[in-house]
Amino acid sequence: MRYTIFGESHGPAIGVTLEGVPPGLELDMTAMAWELSRRAPKADGLSTSRKEADEVHILSGVFEGKTTGTPLCMVIRNSDQHSGDYEALRYTPRPSHGDYAGFIASKGCLDHRGGGHFSGRLTAPLVAAGAVAKQLLAQRGIWVAAHISAIYGILDRAWEDVEELKAAAAKPFPVLDDAKGEEMRQAILEARQGEDSVGGSIECAVSGLPAGLGAPDFGRNVEGIFSQHLFAVPAVKAVAFGAGVGFAYMRGTEANDPFEVKDGKILTKTNYAGGINGGITNGMPVVFEVTLRPTPSIALPQESVDLRTGEELEIEIQGRHDPCVVHRAVPVIEAAAALAAWETLGI
């Protein structure tokens, strides 16, 4: 399914158009609403205070509750914008944000309010699109689940089976070890109190993909397909499959995944490869970890430049911002993974 996300953070609405949705899917809008509620900020001091209903309105592609096979267009209205908070930043880009690059790419016509099209607000329609993909995958016995693997150097424990991971993903703060989760919460609150922000990582698994999907070449390599979807999520700066960067500290005897026969299926005893060999699925869960940068919009003074005059100056960012986006990004990463998994099935 090809998708196009449209809208701006402070525009009237945001949305997504999905092409290639198969006909006959009875959309579960309750499940979609639940996915969006996972992404929504909570009144816990860990997120932005912006409140949006995130109610999905379907404009096309569904008739009498079932998809028609034509483009599926979904819209989410914006209602809680404080655009005045951003006027002072119109010509002074925030460091490490999309402001400057977007200003240049748009030839100065960028909607700067709330980050415009570069805002994390645009992940809401991505979650809606991912909810469609999840429902299609579930019909084939394929599941996607993720957890926070780290925030500011505080590590969650490793998961042992997919059911355990699915249970963690459903929590308000999706970790396996709740004690570690509390440490992460405190790190976020301390960053907020210091007018700063923190980053972290999310580990995700896609179980049920059959062996033999993909190819080693460009365009059909499964790692490449997943990476393209994942890097389209704002704040994602690294993607690693299986043991990832850990391979740099291993020998072949440690890194190789021995084969075994289990319940009549050829599987591997370990999954350091992350379910992919030679760009092709091997029947094990596709496992990857994404790293998200600290939110660049922080209240501390930062150095910038006036794009009109070239003058170097200091800015202080006003408005409502997340001190950490990682916990809210778990359903976003799952959505991107679900869309990638559905694309992988079509190879």
Side-chain angles (χ1 to χ4, degrees):
M1 292 181 294
R2 296 172 300 279
Y3 70 90
T4 300
I5 291 175
F6 58 86
E8 288 80 33
S9 178
H10 286 210
I14 53 178
V16 61
T17 300
L18 273 165
E19 298 180 25
V21 180
L25 173 66
E26 189 169 346
L27 274 183
D28 186 341
M29 299 304 293
T30 300
M32 185 180 294
W34 180 76
E35 294 286 355
L36 283 160
S37 72
R38 296 172 63 204
R39 193 206 73 93
K42 309 296 188 296
D44 52 10
L46 304 178
S47 309
T48 174
S49 59
R50 181 174 179 174
K51 299 296 181 185
E52 297 282 2
D54 284 350
E55 182 178 349
V56 177
H57 301 273
I58 296 178
L59 300 186
S60 67
V62 174
F63 182 67
E64 296 180 341
K66 294 183 179 180
T67 56
T68 62
T70 58
L72 174 61
C73 183
M74 298 182 286
V75 170
I76 300 170
R77 305 292 179 189
N78 288 328
S79 62
D80 187 22
Q81 306 100 310
H82 291 179
S83 298
D85 293 338
Y86 296 90
E87 190 56 36
L89 300 173
R90 184 166 192 160
Y91 298 107
T92 51
R94 292 167 290 181
S96 295
H97 206 286
D99 295 351
Y100 175 67
F103 183 89
I104 298 300
S106 69
K107 302 186 186 303
C109 299
L110 180 72
D111 182 348
H112 67 285
R113 302 168 302 167
H117 191 71
F118 296 87
S119 171
R121 175 80 185 127
L122 276 294
T123 60
L126 177 58
V127 170
V132 177
K134 280 187 171 185
Q135 292 175 38
L136 290 166
L137 292 171
Q139 293 179 347
R140 301 193 179 199
I142 299 169
W143 303 93
V144 182
H147 74 116
I148 301 168
S149 52
I151 286 180
Y152 196 50
I154 302 165
L155 306 180
D156 193 16
R157 69 171 175 82
W159 57 280
E160 297 178 1
D161 58 66
V162 174
E163 291 304 316
E164 178 186 44
L165 189 58
K166 287 162 66 175
K171 294 179 180 179
F173 196 83
V175 291
L176 296 155
D177 186 332
D178 291 330
K180 288 294 183 181
E182 185 55 37
E183 289 183 38
M184 295 176 188
R185 288 173 182 267
Q186 291 305 311
I188 297 171
L189 290 172
E190 288 175 10
R192 166 161 247 162
Q193 291 166 2
E195 300 184 325
D196 214 334
S197 62
V198 291
S201 301
I202 295 169
E203 185 183 35
C204 183
V206 180
S207 64
L209 282 174
L213 301 174
D217 54 294
F218 177 80
R220 299 195 299 158
N221 181 291
V222 175
E223 286 148 322
I225 291 170
F226 271 80
S227 294
Q228 186 169 15
H229 282 270
L230 294 165
F231 276 119
V233 177
V236 170
K237 299 301 289 183
V239 177
F241 291 86
V245 296
F247 281 123
Y249 304 93
M250 303 166 74
R251 291 186 174 185
T253 48
E254 300 169 301
N256 290 348
D257 298 310
F259 286 105
E260 65 175 348
V261 177
K262 191 173 183 179
D263 299 325
K265 294 182 179 180
I266 297 177
L267 301 173
T268 58
K269 294 183 177 181
T270 55
N271 191 21
Y272 294 121
I276 304 169
N277 294 120
I280 302 171
T281 57
N282 63 20
M284 295 294 287
V286 171
V287 180
F288 61 87
E289 185 176 55
V290 299
T291 300
L292 296 91
R293 59 159 298 118
T295 315
S297 292
I298 58 177
L300 292 171
Q302 298 186 81
E303 297 174 343
S304 185
V305 171
D306 189 317
L307 299 178
R308 298 164 296 185
T309 65
E311 176 190 3
E312 296 181 359
L313 44 73
E314 188 176 83
I315 62 171
E316 293 188 18
I317 300 171
Q318 306 298 317
R320 302 164 296 175
H321 306 284
D322 292 273
C324 180
V325 299
V326 177
H327 53 295
R328 293 181 60 200
V330 170
V332 180
I333 296 304
E334 289 181 11
L339 289 160
W342 185 258
E343 181 177 342
T344 298
L345 283 173
I347 296 177

